[in-house]
Amino acid sequence: MEYKISNRLRIGAIILIVLGLLGVGYGFMDAHHYETVEDVKELLASESHHGDAHATEVHGESHGESALHVEGTDAHGDEAHGAAHAEEGHTMSHEEHVLHQIHNRPYSALYVAAFFFFMISLGVLAFYAVQYASQAGWSPVLFRVMEGITAYLLPGGIIVLLIAFLADSHLFIWLTDGMTTKGSDNYDALVAGKSSWLNKAGFFIRGLIFLGGWSLYRYFSRKFSVAQDNADINDNRNFKKNFRISAAFLVFFIYTESMMSWDWIMSVDPHWFSTLFGWYVLAGMLVCGVTTIAMIAMFLKSKGLLEHVNDSHIHDLAKFMFGFSIFWTYLWFSQFMLIWYSNIPEEVTYFITRIEDYNLPFFGMIAMNFIFPLLLLMNSDFKRVNWFVVMAGIVILCGHYIDIFNMIMPATVGDRWFIGIPEIGSILLFGGIFLLVVFTALGKYPLLPKGNPFIKESEHFHY
Amino acid sequence: MEASKVIHAIYTDDDILMSAVKKVKAERHHIEEIYTPFPVHGLDKAMGLAPTRIAIASFMFGCVGLTVAIVMMNYIMIEDWPQDIGGKPSFSYIENMPAFVPIMFELTVFFAAHLMVITFYLRSRMWPFKKAENPDVRTTDDHFLMEIAIHNNEDSLLALLKETGAAEINIVDKDEDAH
């Protein structure tokens, strides 16, 4: 089954990219309306005035981000990201703090969306490796779909690192000048203590090692998979190679994935740490990965291109969506409940900021990532109804975008968050690049890996 | 007490059994029962049995369990005696909910699992000291037995079953009240 990216899809993706770029550009321009502390003072004054005047009314008019959280302006204290300075005599004024949050927003919006799409392809890569290493008999008809999605891994990863590099201290407060220098105004003993891990050179060297390792596996696995197509019928050498490198990759992956989650996500809150964070991020990326596989497979099938993918394959993918959603919830709750229960101040600020300032996204994502898939995908028959799986998939993907949003934003913009033009623009931008890269890659090789020794079993898979 | 006659067709292979079932169904005979030593995949579909509803029952039992857990802990911890235990907020259920989730989860699973098993026992009439209903002891080891009631069609049925590759065909008087 040959597939070629259609012109309509390509143009659609390019439109998304252009719209996204406009949105991102607007985000940066908008953030730099506020150049100085004086501007922020004015903003805060107008907000608090506004708040007094309309205290009992519904805030119908839109003032962009400034109209939100009127009540919060004087209440929000140091927890947000100022926690980084809490113990060391806070020299930054409230206005300056707000100014930083306003400036951080477009960077964070970019980073959240970039990481979200990157995470999908990384999750698919891990799932793909598991399929090889476990010699699964049901999934080989979906291998080319998975390989197509992992094509975004390298560009997506480079984008994430690039944004991290450009955003610098806008995202990672531990990159602020002087934070590790004794005697500096910005000196932070806790961050200084972690500086042997959290330093700029180390961050990017590790990032390149992670990305390099994953991309190498992806490159060779794809190469062997394609070579197996043209190999002799009894020649399984390429498959065996793939089996071996998949097993090795999974070992490498589980270590690097944990470290990546500390570096790329947890370090936005350098005062906070959690031991199961890496698995929590992993569970999220696996759900998104499997969901994306299911959605792209159903899309290609609706075009008549995946004739061997049947309802049983979709059923299996939906089971994985269901199972990993619950696994994600299990880890989310384990992390939340342990910290809530013991209520140790240095840990619990993480959740206090999220519950106070991000109440709706924080608890809304539980509904989207847990209750919705739980009730929708529990029924065996529903898992075979394609539009049902698509619907559940859309909610799951949106829910996990908000999950990433909840991880990054409270540390960088605090209570000045909104899902507005910069955020949606970033989603469109990277969504467009994702679609373009993935569907171009899907068109490179036949969609049926006919040389795979399990392909017959997979074609006749029936549950 | 009326005794009726049934045919016991015995097979030694599940593949032959499956094709026999399809043939018998195609001839529109009603199969009373099939005894097999192990689950034969697709047998229920071939026989045209209705799908089980035990998963639905289990889901509802789980909901009962969840409700029991919530009502119980809301009464004990919040309404009856809301003590301050280690600073946990016992002003309302939702405030202390995370601490109750492990119990809510376990009771949901407990009710769903146990009540489903009991439902299964009741529906399939299994209990200790129950008299076994096995028509032929070999069916627990390596033989498959298909039971068809005879309604004045003995000869045609015999011919059909012979054709399906039955290893042995017996005509048995069956006591309806035996089970």
Side-chain angles (χ1 to χ4, degrees):
Chain A
M1 288 310 106
E2 296 285 351
Y3 169 77
K4 270 277 161 282
I5 181 169
S6 63
N7 265 333
R8 233 175 41 189
L9 192 65
R10 186 182 292 123
I11 290 167
I14 291 170
I15 290 173
L16 288 183
I17 295 173
V18 172
L19 282 178
L21 278 175
L22 288 175
V24 170
Y26 171 81
F28 278 99
M29 270 175 38
D30 193 46
H32 284 271
H33 272 173
Y34 305 102
E35 279 302 347
T36 62
V37 173
E38 296 309 311
D39 297 340
V40 175
K41 273 186 184 148
E42 240 169 72
L43 168 76
L44 292 180
S46 79
E47 275 179 2
S48 63
H49 169 73
H50 189 80
D52 294 340
H54 298 263
T56 51
E57 290 175 29
V58 181
H59 291 276
E61 328 90 297
S62 166
H63 289 252
E65 63 181 36
S66 59
L68 286 162
H69 303 282
V70 172
E71 331 69 40
T73 44
D74 18 47
H76 92 291
D78 293 3
E79 310 100 276
H81 86 185
H85 306 272
E87 295 102 42
E88 281 74 348
H90 191 39
T91 51
M92 199 188 284
S93 71
H94 175 62
E95 287 79 12
E96 199 183 343
H97 182 68
V98 173
L99 182 68
H100 282 194
Q101 293 182 333
I102 292 173
H103 284 180
N104 291 346
R105 186 175 161 208
Y107 291 104
S108 312
L110 265 183
Y111 191 71
V112 170
F115 185 83
F116 175 71
F117 285 101
F118 163 75
M119 161 180 113
I120 289 175
S121 65
L122 186 58
V124 171
L125 191 71
F127 189 74
Y128 175 78
V130 169
Q131 300 303 307
Y132 258 112
S134 62
Q135 306 199 0
W138 66 278
S139 50
V141 289
L142 296 164
F143 276 0
R144 286 292 142 80
V145 176
M146 299 186 205
E147 287 163 18
I149 299 170
T150 55
Y152 183 73
L153 183 82
L154 186 59
I158 290 171
I159 289 170
V160 171
L161 281 178
L162 210 63
I163 295 171
F165 185 78
L166 294 175
D168 205 67
S169 62
H170 283 293
L171 271 176
F172 303 104
I173 192 140
W174 49 270
L175 283 171
T176 310
D177 286 334
M179 199 154 257
T180 56
T181 337
K182 258 206 169 92
S184 157
D185 271 353
N186 288 332
Y187 180 69
D188 183 317
L190 264 175
V191 171
K194 293 182 180 182
S195 62
S196 56
W197 180 273
L198 288 183
N199 57 74
K200 196 164 188 175
F203 180 94
F204 286 102
I205 291 170
R206 282 193 303 273
L208 291 175
I209 292 173
F210 304 155
L211 203 53
W214 303 333
S215 306
L216 270 181
Y217 166 69
R218 197 265 162 193
Y219 172 80
F220 282 108
S221 182
R222 169 80 153 175
K223 193 178 130 186
F224 296 147
S225 168
V226 171
Q228 183 69 40
D229 263 12
N230 306 316
D232 187 67
I233 186 80
N234 289 320
D235 177 11
N236 282 336
R237 270 178 305 166
N238 286 302
F239 176 79
K240 285 180 184 162
K241 279 188 215 161
N242 229 342
F243 170 74
R244 275 189 220 112
I245 62 169
S246 298
F249 164 74
L250 285 171
V251 175
F252 175 78
F253 172 76
I254 200 64
Y255 282 101
T256 47
E257 190 276 335
S258 289
M259 289 190 261
M260 178 274 281
S261 72
W262 309 334
D263 268 1
W264 297 10
I265 299 189
M266 200 159 77
S267 81
V268 294
D269 286 292
H271 279 201
W272 182 80
F273 52 88
S274 162
T275 39
L276 60 66
F277 197 76
W279 314 324
Y280 169 57
V281 174
L282 172 73
M285 69 174 61
L286 283 172
V287 188
C288 294
V290 172
T291 305
T292 311
I293 296 171
M295 290 172 90
I296 292 185
M298 281 183 281
F299 170 76
L300 292 173
K301 185 160 172 59
S302 73
K303 300 265 169 219
L305 292 161
L306 289 173
E307 55 171 328
H308 293 295
V309 173
N310 55 40
D311 285 350
S312 293
H313 292 106
I314 302 302
H315 189 155
D316 261 28
L317 286 169
K319 274 191 278 188
F320 273 111
M321 285 160 66
F322 177 77
F324 282 137
S325 285
I326 289 170
F327 180 58
W328 175 89
T329 315
Y330 166 65
L331 291 176
W332 173 82
F333 184 72
S334 300
Q335 178 170 283
F336 172 71
M337 199 258 242
L338 282 183
I339 291 175
W340 171 85
Y341 208 108
S342 60
N343 206 20
I344 300 172
E346 70 210 46
E347 286 179 346
V348 86
T349 49
Y350 186 82
F351 287 112
I352 287 178
T353 48
R354 278 156 183 80
I355 291 172
E356 280 182 355
D357 297 336
Y358 289 73
N359 203 291
L360 181 64
F362 188 68
F363 292 111
M365 82 174 171
I366 309 306
M368 293 169 86
N369 293 342
F370 174 60
I371 298 171
F372 194 82
L374 177 84
L375 295 177
L376 228 59
L377 294 177
M378 192 182 305
N379 191 314
S380 204
D381 296 328
F382 291 174
K383 287 197 274 264
R384 310 179 85 88
V385 181
N386 286 6
W387 66 268
F388 234 93
V389 179
V390 171
M391 208 167 71
I394 290 170
V395 174
I396 289 174
L397 287 180
C398 294
H400 282 278
Y401 170 80
I402 294 176
D403 184 25
I404 308 294
F405 187 85
N406 280 332
M407 292 184 201
I408 302 288
M409 288 294 184
T412 53
V413 303
D415 65 351
R416 309 201 72 83
W417 68 274
F418 189 63
I419 299 189
I421 291 173
E423 285 78 10
I424 292 170
S426 307
I427 296 174
L428 296 182
L429 171 61
F430 296 116
I433 300 176
F434 182 83
L435 288 179
L436 200 61
V437 170
V438 168
F439 280 91
T440 308
L442 280 171
K444 287 216 173 109
Y445 294 100
L447 288 177
L448 185 70
K450 60 180 166 54
N452 190 297
F454 290 107
I455 196 70
K456 275 278 163 307
E457 182 181 342
S458 180
E459 282 170 7
H460 299 116
F461 173 68
H462 172 76
Y463 170 74
Chain B
M1 204 207 296
E2 189 195 352
S4 66
K5 275 185 169 178
V6 292
I7 290 188
H8 282 173
I10 297 180
Y11 299 84
T12 52
D13 187 287
D14 51 338
D15 286 336
I16 299 173
L17 173 76
M18 281 293 282
S19 63
V21 169
K22 281 172 194 156
K23 242 180 227 167
V24 172
K25 289 299 282 186
E27 296 288 327
R28 311 190 61 77
H29 291 292
H30 177 69
I31 299 171
E32 296 273 299
E33 190 63 273
I34 293 180
Y35 297 88
T36 65
F38 53 77
V40 178
H41 284 288
L43 189 59
D44 52 337
K45 281 221 176 70
M47 288 172 73
L49 298 182
T52 172
R53 289 166 297 179
I54 200 155
I56 299 168
S58 181
F59 176 76
M60 293 194 288
F61 295 146
C63 294
V64 172
L66 183 63
T67 313
V68 167
I70 293 172
V71 171
M72 176 181 79
M73 283 180 300
N74 185 48
Y75 176 69
I76 297 173
M77 301 300 290
I78 308 296
E79 284 176 7
D80 190 35
W81 201 345
Q83 285 195 101
D84 182 341
I85 303 169
K88 283 280 160 282
S90 48
F91 308 106
S92 71
Y93 190 77
I94 196 74
E95 272 176 295
N96 210 0
M97 211 230 4
F100 302 145
V101 165
I103 300 161
M104 288 156 67
F105 170 77
E106 293 293 349
L107 276 186
T108 308
V109 174
F110 179 88
F111 273 64
H114 289 81
L115 292 182
M116 176 177 74
V117 168
I118 292 169
T119 308
F120 170 73
Y121 285 156
L122 292 177
R123 282 297 278 129
S124 42
R125 302 166 166 278
M126 296 206 303
W127 53 82
F129 311 115
K130 161 159 174 131
K131 196 171 172 300
E133 291 171 13
N134 201 345
D136 190 313
V137 287
R138 290 171 299 171
T139 58
T140 62
D141 184 14
D142 59 352
H143 283 61
F144 304 81
L145 189 151
M146 186 197 297
E147 182 179 295
I148 303 173
I150 298 174
H151 306 286
N152 308 320
N153 54 354
E154 197 172 322
D155 296 334
S156 64
L157 252 180
L158 278 174
L160 173 70
L161 289 173
K162 272 209 184 90
E163 210 180 293
T164 59
E168 205 179 291
I169 302 177
N170 306 319
I171 297 175
V172 197
D173 281 332
K174 194 172 175 183
D175 187 358
E176 283 289 351
D177 291 342
H179 69 110

